[in-house]
Amino acid sequence: MISCDVKSLPPVSEMMRDAGLVPKKQFGQNFLFDLNLTGRIARSVPDIAHTDVIEVGPGPGGLTRALLLAGARRVIAVEKDNTTAPILDKIVAASDGRLTVIYADALRVDFSKLGISEYAICANLPYNIGTELFTQWLIRATHGEPIKSMTLMFQREVARRIVAHVGDSEYGRLGLLTSLVADARILFDVPNTAFVPRPRVQSAVVQVIPNHEKIHALGDVSRLENLTAKLFGQRRKMIRSIMPGVDWARFGLSGTERAEDIAPETFAQMARVLI
């Protein structure tokens, strides 16, 4: 049952003003006040009524409130900036015990120790650490971390890299790893006018669902990481120049390809043999 107390909270902008809170550039903060957008993001979380949701970077709690109102079973919000506490404390008090706030750096939080057996991640990720966090979560999924889904907002160019396939101009290590671990798609774009302060870039919401069959077939992800770092680190060079002496024909390649020409499945096959 959704608490009417969450519905009756003042607007986020008003709570920010009362708390004297302003977005901090060093934390990559850009806040969403648009209730239609935060609601749309929250409702995009699969099976949210039966799901514990981890949110990273809640700021003044716009998306946090939307997740609670969408019926999330429980929300755990991880926030580095403790100056948001006066606002988040009020949302906690109105949440009927469904919201917990942890003040910590999300890059250093071990989600497996939060006391939940399975969870979704939903966040308007800080621009300065979004890609690093996402890569970390993908790798955790390959190690058995029980992530049901990730519904995340990124800069639009990062979102396109996540869903890119071989042959796309955005194809690289991020899209390759994503495609071998999960099923990903862009749900919708978000204009920069929706944020305070307004960023220079446009954004998009991406949904990523870990695929256990893919993860099982992939095997040791560290091998793949090492190989992609080696080949994409010199992406303009032919692979035979980077790794001479390899019989590329066994992988259906000539050796004249560059990293961006090689499909994820071929990379996985190569990683099992070459690294």
Side-chain angles (χ1 to χ4, degrees):
M1 181 177 177
I2 298 172
S3 169
C4 61
D5 290 338
V6 175
K7 293 181 180 178
S8 65
L9 287 169
V12 175
S13 57
E14 181 179 322
M15 295 179 78
M16 281 188 64
R17 186 186 65 243
D18 291 345
L21 181 65
V22 295
K24 295 180 176 62
K25 187 175 182 180
Q26 69 266 33
F27 292 144
Q29 292 177 335
N30 298 89
F31 298 143
L32 268 179
F33 293 161
D34 189 316
L35 296 179
N36 290 325
L37 272 173
T38 54
R40 186 179 181 188
I41 295 168
R43 291 189 299 273
S44 297
V45 176
D47 194 29
I48 191 169
H50 303 97
T51 301
D52 293 330
V53 181
I54 293 176
E55 182 192 5
V56 171
L63 180 57
T64 313
R65 290 161 64 161
L67 289 167
L68 292 168
L69 290 170
R73 186 167 57 193
R74 181 183 175 195
V75 178
I76 298 176
V78 180
E79 175 57 67
K80 186 175 182 179
D81 179 14
N82 61 13
T83 64
T84 60
I87 296 176
L88 295 177
D89 285 350
K90 292 179 180 179
I91 304 174
V92 170
S95 70
D96 287 338
R98 291 191 295 132
L99 173 62
T100 300
V101 180
I102 298 172
Y103 292 97
D105 184 344
L107 288 168
R108 293 175 171 81
V109 174
D110 185 348
F111 290 179
S112 67
K113 296 182 179 179
L114 295 181
I116 47 180
S117 58
E118 190 178 43
Y119 59 87
I121 303 172
C122 183
N124 168 22
L125 290 175
Y127 284 161
N128 55 350
I129 60 169
T131 302
E132 185 177 358
L133 275 170
F134 176 62
T135 302
Q136 186 181 98
W137 294 332
L138 283 177
I139 293 171
R140 285 180 179 179
T142 70
H143 294 158
E145 189 85 6
I147 302 172
K148 293 175 65 175
S149 66
M150 292 179 269
T151 304
L152 308 169
M153 189 182 302
F154 292 96
Q155 295 179 48
R156 188 181 295 167
E157 63 181 51
V158 176
R160 288 175 175 168
R161 284 166 50 203
I162 289 170
V163 302
H165 300 287
V166 64
D168 295 340
S169 60
E170 299 91 351
Y171 179 66
R173 293 182 71 192
L174 190 60
L176 187 153
L177 177 61
T178 303
S179 68
L180 289 173
V181 173
D183 302 312
R185 62 191 178 111
I186 293 177
L187 296 183
F188 51 88
D189 291 334
V190 179
N192 62 354
T193 53
F195 296 91
V196 176
R198 183 187 301 186
R200 296 180 180 178
V201 298
Q202 305 296 322
S203 298
V205 176
V206 179
Q207 189 158 85
V208 181
I209 311 293
N211 184 314
H212 299 293
E213 290 184 6
K214 290 183 177 182
I215 291 171
H216 179 73
L218 176 60
D220 184 357
V221 71
S222 65
R223 290 174 173 265
L224 178 72
E225 286 187 285
N226 291 337
L227 181 63
T228 56
K230 183 185 291 288
L231 296 185
F232 276 102
Q234 303 178 71
R235 63 184 300 155
R236 302 315 304 162
K237 287 188 176 182
M238 292 185 292
I239 56 175
R240 70 183 183 190
S241 299
I242 303 171
M243 299 178 66
V246 173
D247 178 11
W248 297 108
R250 69 188 298 187
F251 307 112
L253 303 172
S254 66
T256 60
E257 296 86 358
R258 295 173 173 81
E260 62 197 28
D261 302 319
I262 304 173
E265 295 75 19
T266 304
F267 256 108
Q269 182 188 7
M270 291 160 53
R272 286 190 287 268
V273 174
L274 300 179
I275 300 296

